[in-house]
Every structure is written in structure tokens, then in C-alpha cells.
Amino acid sequence: MRKIVCTILFCFSCLFGHKTFAENSCCNIYYSNVNSVLQIETQDHTGSGVLLKEDGTFVTCFHVISNADYIRVTTKDGSQYYVNGFRYINPISDVAILKINSNKNFNHIEINHLQNSRIGEKIFAISNPKGLQFVFSDGMINQLTNDYIQFSAPISQGSSGGALLNKDGSLIGIITSQMNPSISQNINFALPNKFFLPYINNSVITNSKNSNWTDFIIDNANQNQFKIYTNYALSNKNYEMLYKYLKKLTQRGDFPVDSYAMLGYFAMLSYDKTSTKQYLQDAIKWYKLSIDCQHDTEASLFALNYLYAKNNNDEALKHVFLQLKQNYPASYYKLIELMTKTGKCSPSDTECTRLVGVELMDYLGKITTFNPNSELAY
């Protein structure tokens, strides 16, 4: 009975503004912070973000904007703005610190700098799950590591980049992901503040030409960042997205020539996934360039045999086929084995064809210098 009475009193204090309870009640935490949370939209994705500075600097997850042509944000009052710059982007840690294109002073969130969270502590989340706007949920911290906060407040797709708040209403991290709901219940993760706070005062790199957002990001990536983008897409097995980034990078003069075979490999994977003819033509081009540069010759010859066969280019196929047989007999016999397996698959047996394709790609990955099957270093 006492618990019921307390619950009723708490609800009345929220509804009618009574200050019977501490200022840090659930209602106060929500209304004190919701104006610092953003809904993020791209041409094919929605997510959440958290304002960190009054100049419109905010943080979200990189995967929310990874394929963006444009980025638009909406605040709780319904105002909409476009993003035209960034301070820091790290695909591996899944962080993007972006800048709204506006001179307005925004309500930024209070940040917890102490890193003093504890397992069992009450927490709150504000985000935009499933396209809903500025949804509030609560739970507790279930586990803490150096790399993540596991919590039980309900979230869904669209919550990524949202605010995770402690019992004092200050930011302790941003929501990143949830365990597959079909195999587990309410196991959710957030990225602690330490992964993005050191970078919120970096200089803003501005998209002054209003370019396509992805093009703008790649235009401002150096060789070291190129490796980061590569690792990110590999770890997520998103080869088509990776190829989109890398193809843009190749238009610049600082693209490493010893990565042509790797680029061909990703174009080839993208072709197998989408059957996009352009990816097939690109893969042939990159593998040819790799041979010209005398890098990954074995992998390039192996791949070109497979690709030319799909492209019905008999003369070219004959040339690389004989070269592979003469110089790399192990790969030659492996190719014969795989092509024979493919020939034994009936046209209607897509699973048979898929399995042979997987085996072929695995082998090709193993003979490519940049080995996509190796353990990635974070």
C-alpha cells in the first residue's frame, strides 16, 4: 500500500509541477534535457543526436550518417536545420561530432565529466526510436567496461546517437546499439563520454560548397583516415558502402597504389551482392591496375579470371588464365576447382552458387595483401 501511495504522489508531482520530490525527478530530467536532443534525418536513415555546445556542435553515431547525401536535424520545438560541417569523425569508435549550419544559440546538455557511473545506477534515455520523436525511457546500468555502458532502458532503431543520462540528469554517454531483440531482451549499449569529449573543440571543417555529404567527408580524409574507413566497413561487412568511400578516395592523388587489389576485392564483393554492372567493370579495372603496378599479382590474376568469365571476355580470360597457370599453379588449380563446383550447381540452386561464391571470396581474401579475413586491430 505504501508503494502505491508513493507512486500516486510521484505522478501528481509530475503532472501538476508540485516540488514535493527532489528537482532530479524523472519529469525534471526529461524537460531539462529534451531540448538538447536532436532527431537526425538523411535520405535513407533516421537517428538521434545530442547538443554539446551552444554553437550547434552535437554528437551522434557515425553509422547514422555513414551513407548520407545530406543531414537534417530537428529540435523539440520543431525547428529544422542542416548540418554543414564536422569537428571529428571516427568510424571505428562510431563517433561523429558535427556542426549545425546556424548562428542560433542552442540548448546544450549538461555533461558528466567524472566517469563515476556504477552498476545498478538508475539511468534515463532520450532518443527517437522507430521514427518517434523525443521518447523518454528509464532503466539501470547492467555492466560497465572501458569501452561501453550496457543498460536496460528500452531503445529501438533510431535511438542511435541519443542521450544516456544519469540520475542527476547529466550525460554519461550516447546510445549506440542493441543486442538482436530476436535472441535477447533489452540488452543495450552506449558509448561513454570519454570517446568524444576530447574532440568537441576541434576546428570545424565546413562544407562551404554544399557538396554531397559523403563526398565532402572523403574530400577531407587523409591516408590515415582512409585506413580507418577501411577497417570500419570491413568490421561491419558493409563492402558496398566501403567501395563507395574508397572509389571517391581514388580520385585523389594520395591514394596508395598498393591498395588497388583491395579496392578490386571490395568492388567484386559489391557486384556479387548487388549485381550492379558498374561494380563488375570497376573490379576489372582495379585488378588490371594492380597487375600494372606489380602488387598482389596472384590475387589479381585469380580475380580477373573469375570476373572475365562473368563478363564473357574470352581473349582477356585466355591471357590471364595462362599467366595464372604458369606463375601461380596453386591458385590456378583452386580456380579450376571452384569453377567446376559452380558448373555443377543447377540454375535454380541459388544456395549452391552462393556457397561456391563464398568459398571463392574467402580464398581471394587470403591471397590479397590486405587480408579482410584477419583480425582487425582497433
Side-chain angles (χ1 to χ4, degrees):
M1 176 63 73
R2 182 179 178 183
K3 183 176 181 181
I4 294 173
V5 171
C6 289
T7 302
I8 294 172
L9 287 172
F10 178 78
C11 292
F12 268 81
S13 71
C14 286
L15 287 171
F16 299 108
H18 295 169
K19 296 186 178 179
T20 308
F21 294 86
E23 287 293 319
N24 292 326
S25 68
C26 298
C27 298
N28 289 325
I29 288 174
Y30 177 74
Y31 287 109
S32 297
N33 290 286
V34 68
N35 292 322
S36 301
V37 176
L38 302 168
Q39 183 179 48
I40 299 174
E41 296 174 88
T42 70
Q43 78 282 0
D44 60 3
H45 205 73
T46 62
S48 308
V50 182
L51 285 158
L52 302 176
K53 300 176 68 174
E54 67 177 12
D55 68 355
T57 296
F58 70 95
V59 64
T60 187
C61 295
F62 174 78
H63 75 258
V64 172
I65 53 95
S66 63
N67 196 39
D69 293 335
Y70 66 87
I71 304 171
R72 183 173 60 216
V73 299
T74 303
T75 56
K76 181 65 170 65
D77 64 7
S79 300
Q80 291 190 331
Y81 308 90
Y82 282 90
V83 174
N84 75 329
F86 69 93
R87 292 184 184 272
Y88 176 76
I89 288 180
N90 189 333
I92 298 299
S93 60
D94 201 15
V95 170
I97 301 176
L98 311 178
K99 174 71 170 61
I100 293 174
N101 184 20
S102 174
N103 294 322
K104 176 183 174 180
N105 288 335
F106 292 88
N107 293 306
H108 63 88
I109 208 154
E110 182 180 343
I111 299 169
N112 180 289
H113 293 274
L114 299 178
Q115 299 186 39
N116 57 350
S117 299
R118 301 175 64 192
I119 294 174
E121 180 181 342
K122 183 85 168 177
I123 50 87
F124 305 89
I126 307 177
S127 62
N128 304 285
K130 298 290 186 181
L132 300 174
Q133 292 187 314
F134 309 104
V135 173
F136 191 47
S137 60
D138 69 338
M140 69 170 64
I141 295 177
N142 306 117
Q143 188 182 48
L144 284 169
T145 74
N146 288 328
D147 298 322
Y148 63 81
I149 303 168
Q150 184 205 327
F151 63 95
S152 62
I155 62 169
S156 294
Q157 184 178 359
S159 293
S160 295
L164 190 70
L165 309 168
N166 64 12
K167 57 185 174 57
D168 298 319
S170 58
L171 185 74
I172 60 172
I174 60 167
I175 299 164
T176 54
S177 61
Q178 62 180 149
M179 190 85 67
N180 187 340
S182 65
I183 59 175
S184 59
Q185 291 186 344
N186 220 23
I187 300 178
N188 309 315
F189 300 93
L191 197 66
N193 292 345
K194 67 178 182 178
F195 282 90
F196 52 86
L197 287 185
Y199 311 104
I200 64 174
N201 292 315
N202 285 7
S203 299
V204 178
I205 299 176
T206 304
N207 185 9
S208 56
K209 297 179 180 179
N210 292 318
S211 303
N212 171 287
W213 179 262
T214 298
D215 289 349
F216 162 61
I217 291 295
I218 298 303
D219 282 341
N220 288 280
N222 56 31
Q223 280 201 35
N224 189 50
Q225 289 165 320
F226 154 73
K227 294 176 182 177
I228 292 174
Y229 283 115
T230 301
N231 280 350
Y232 170 80
L234 277 172
S235 64
N236 286 279
K237 293 182 169 56
N238 191 337
Y239 302 116
E240 186 181 2
M241 190 198 77
L242 174 71
Y243 184 62
K244 178 179 178 181
Y245 279 110
L246 298 189
K247 187 174 180 180
K248 177 67 179 176
L249 274 172
T250 61
Q251 298 172 14
R252 296 168 36 168
D254 59 353
F255 187 86
V257 296
D258 59 353
S259 296
Y260 286 144
M262 180 193 67
L263 193 64
Y265 180 81
F266 297 137
M268 191 169 169
L269 285 167
S270 299
Y271 171 72
D272 275 5
K273 180 179 178 181
T274 66
S275 298
T276 302
K277 199 75 171 178
Q278 184 61 52
Y279 291 151
L280 172 63
Q281 295 167 355
D282 286 350
I284 291 173
K285 177 182 72 173
W286 296 126
Y287 279 120
K288 280 183 174 179
L289 284 171
S290 183
I291 290 174
D292 290 343
C293 296
Q294 297 182 345
H295 288 290
D296 281 312
T297 305
E298 180 180 4
S300 300
L301 288 170
F302 181 91
L304 282 173
N305 276 287
Y306 172 75
L307 292 168
Y308 277 134
K310 279 186 170 289
N311 209 34
N312 297 317
N313 192 328
D314 294 336
E315 280 303 312
L317 174 61
K318 182 179 178 181
H319 170 69
V320 292
F321 192 74
L322 292 175
Q323 193 174 348
L324 182 69
K325 182 178 181 180
Q326 178 179 341
N327 298 331
Y328 306 99
S331 289
Y332 166 79
Y333 287 111
K334 185 65 178 178
L335 182 65
I336 294 296
E337 173 194 337
L338 291 169
M339 297 301 276
T340 302
K341 285 184 179 180
T342 302
K344 290 180 179 178
C345 294
S346 66
S348 60
D349 192 349
T350 55
E351 180 63 12
C352 175
T353 305
R354 186 188 71 81
L355 290 174
V356 176
V358 169
E359 188 177 350
L360 186 144
M361 290 298 179
D362 283 346
Y363 182 80
L364 181 57
K366 289 173 183 176
I367 60 174
T368 302
T369 299
F370 188 92
N371 186 355
N373 300 307
S374 65
E375 185 175 349
L376 296 172
Y378 284 81

